Amino acid sequence: MLGFLVALQLIGLAVASSSDLSDKCYDIPLPSIPPSTANRTVPWGEPTIHYANGTTCCTSLDEVRTQLNTIDAQLLQLLSTRAQYVGEATRFKSTLADVNVPSRNEQVIKGAVDAAPSVHLPQIIAKDVYEGIINSSVVFEECIFNAYDLKSAAGTPQKSLKSTVLARDY
């Protein structure tokens, strides 16, 4: 989580903060706000993303979508790297029961939710995203664990995971 904050700082992005009711939309539980019936002229409100050079984002929905597409590509790469480490973690588990550790799953989810405010991420997004990541990672890890047994039984060379060269030096 903090790495994401550092990345935002490196590209000179800061998120404006205010003390209005919308700030409560970043916490769990979400506030009870009646649905709006407004028909607003767009763009409405003030920009909430400010760059280090003093400019703001964004002047059009297309500009917002372009930025979101860039971020989505980065997220996919990060998720790919995470999946490789999840697969690697499987090698250190001796039984299928060791793959899904609910206390560890909750620790990861809680850590993301607790860290969300420090990077100005709505906690509900952190919670839902990390629950999805963890739940799908368990299924993936169980598949990796089970597939290894099938390879062993078939007499094929035992290679636990696809080799992947990560673009980072650790």
Side-chain angles (χ1 to χ4, degrees), residues 58 60-72:
C58 293
S60 71
L61 185 55
D62 286 340
E63 185 180 351
V64 171
R65 288 179 175 158
T66 297
Q67 294 299 323
L68 289 172
N69 290 343
T70 299
I71 293 165
D72 288 344

Side-chain angles (χ1 to χ4, degrees), residues 37 47 95 107-108 144:
T37 58
T95 69
Q107 177 188 22
V108 172
I144 295 294

Side-chain angles (χ1 to χ4, degrees), residues 43-86:
W44 54 269
E46 297 296 321
T48 59
I49 298 175
H50 300 271
Y51 298 110
N53 66 5
T55 62
T56 61
C57 175
C58 293
T59 59
S60 71
L61 185 55
D62 286 340
E63 185 180 351
V64 171
R65 288 179 175 158
T66 297
Q67 294 299 323
L68 289 172
N69 290 343
T70 299
I71 293 165
D72 288 344
Q74 294 167 350
L75 286 171
L76 283 174
Q77 185 58 54
L78 288 170
L79 287 169
S80 174
T81 302
R82 188 183 195 289
Q84 289 299 308
Y85 280 100
V86 167

